[in-house]
Amino acid sequence: MAYTALELITRSYYLSQIVSRGLQTVSGEQVTDGLFLLNQLLGFKGSDLRLIPYFQEYQFDTVQGQEEYTVPKLLYCDSLTFNIGTVRYSLREMTRTEYFAGPRVDNIQSLPYGYRVERKLEGSSVFLYFEPQAVYQMKLWGKFGLDSVALTTDLSLTYDVFYLEY
């Protein structure tokens, strides 16, 4: 069942007893203020990853010769692996300096062994070195969340109900 941002905002006004359920309705200005505060709260929770209580797996396929991949809603990457048959290969996380400023030969296609994750609007970019020589299904474990929402955004697609109530 969908749990929209508008529903969360409305319930918050009722539960805080700012608006009396059954006697009053939440006004347009209150909804606008509530959406602003909800987006501020989501931004804060996305910056302090301790406030997101669970990890999720995300899978994506590489493209031969492509270095950068966008992972929507990714706030933090804990691990990145891929399999060839029954053998799992883990990639080594690299610092920004190691990845972007360290000495290396560019445009080499081989098995990826290192990665760098950079946050961006609406998610993160994952950079792979070496560029994949074939298509591999990557398995990423990380923390996911929303940076901002609209009134019609279904929050239950990203967050558990207990977390929304929190």
Side-chain angles (χ1 to χ4, degrees), residues 108-160:
I108 293 179
Q109 294 183 19
S110 184
L111 291 175
Y113 80 90
Y115 72 96
R116 176 70 191 161
V117 177
E118 292 287 323
R119 292 269 309 261
K120 66 180 190 177
L121 188 62
E122 305 286 328
S124 295
S125 288
V126 176
F127 297 88
L128 300 179
Y129 185 75
F130 297 110
E131 295 173 1
Q133 68 182 6
V135 175
Y136 304 109
Q137 184 178 59
M138 307 302 286
K139 294 179 183 175
L140 180 150
W141 278 93
K143 292 186 175 188
F144 293 80
L146 299 169
D147 288 333
S148 63
V149 296
L151 291 174
T152 57
T153 302
D154 184 356
L155 301 174
S156 65
L157 298 176
T158 305
Y159 297 111
D160 288 327

Side-chain angles (χ1 to χ4, degrees), residues 28-59:
E29 287 179 353
Q30 289 170 323
V31 169
T32 301
D33 290 343
L35 182 62
F36 172 77
L37 292 172
L38 177 59
N39 283 326
Q40 294 294 97
L41 183 62
L42 289 172
F44 173 72
K45 288 190 177 295
S47 66
D48 188 351
L49 298 172
R50 293 173 298 167
L51 299 175
I52 298 175
Y54 41 78
F55 288 85
Q56 295 176 355
E57 182 183 44
Y58 179 84
Q59 296 183 12

